[in-house]
Amino acid sequence: QVQLVESGGGLVQAGGSLRLSCAASGRTLGIYRMGWFRQAPGKEREFVAARRWSDNIFSYASFVKGRFTISRDNAKNTVYLQMSSLKPEDTDVYYCTADLGGGWEQGSWGQGIQVTVSS
């Protein structure tokens, strides 16, 4: 199993920046890729960004391209989501997830962290 702990959320004004962190522990050698999803109350969870654990293959949702960047610190087993030019519609609970080879839903998920962007 892989445990994920998110940090770095909070309140920011529109146009501002935040960096989310996701620290992975446990059986990290089994991670195929890591990603971020977000979910608003009453809405489906939606994909934000992902990267493969072992190389530099990235993917981003169209609505965050050019504004969000996913990166990794190998030594710390931590994945980051740098968010810039934030908009009020980016307000959501953000979840870190690790795909262990069976897809996102079968992988590990963090507890979620609130990001609020004020207008």
Side-chain angles (χ1 to χ4, degrees):
Q1 272 288 7
V2 173
Q3 293 78 44
L4 303 173
V5 178
E6 300 119 331
S7 60
L11 173 65
V12 64
Q13 287 189 331
S17 300
L18 276 177
R19 188 177 77 161
L20 304 182
S21 300
C22 176
S25 61
R27 299 175 67 89
T28 59
L29 289 179
I31 297 175
Y32 168 61
R33 55 180 177 165
M34 289 192 69
W36 292 91
F37 284 68
R38 68 187 191 184
Q39 187 172 25
K43 292 189 175 181
E44 293 282 324
R45 190 173 294 183
E46 63 180 357
F47 170 78
V48 176
R51 65 159 295 158
R52 292 223 293 237
W53 191 240
S54 59
D55 56 29
N56 293 321
I57 303 298
F58 305 90
S59 58
Y60 293 95
S62 58
F63 54 80
V64 303
K65 277 184 179 177
R67 299 190 301 124
F68 292 9
T69 302
I70 187 169
S71 63
R72 176 191 171 189
D73 184 327
N74 290 2
K76 296 181 179 180
N77 278 341
T78 298
V79 169
Y80 303 98
L81 185 67
Q82 177 68 48
M83 306 185 292
S84 303
S85 301
L86 283 162
K87 307 174 182 179
E89 51 264 43
D90 293 317
T91 295
D92 270 324
V93 176
Y94 284 70
Y95 294 88
C96 176
T97 179
D99 177 3
L100 307 179
W104 297 118
E105 291 302 324
Q106 302 302 319
S108 297
W109 290 80
Q111 77 282 4
I113 192 163
Q114 179 69 46
V115 171
T116 303
V117 184
S118 63
S119 57

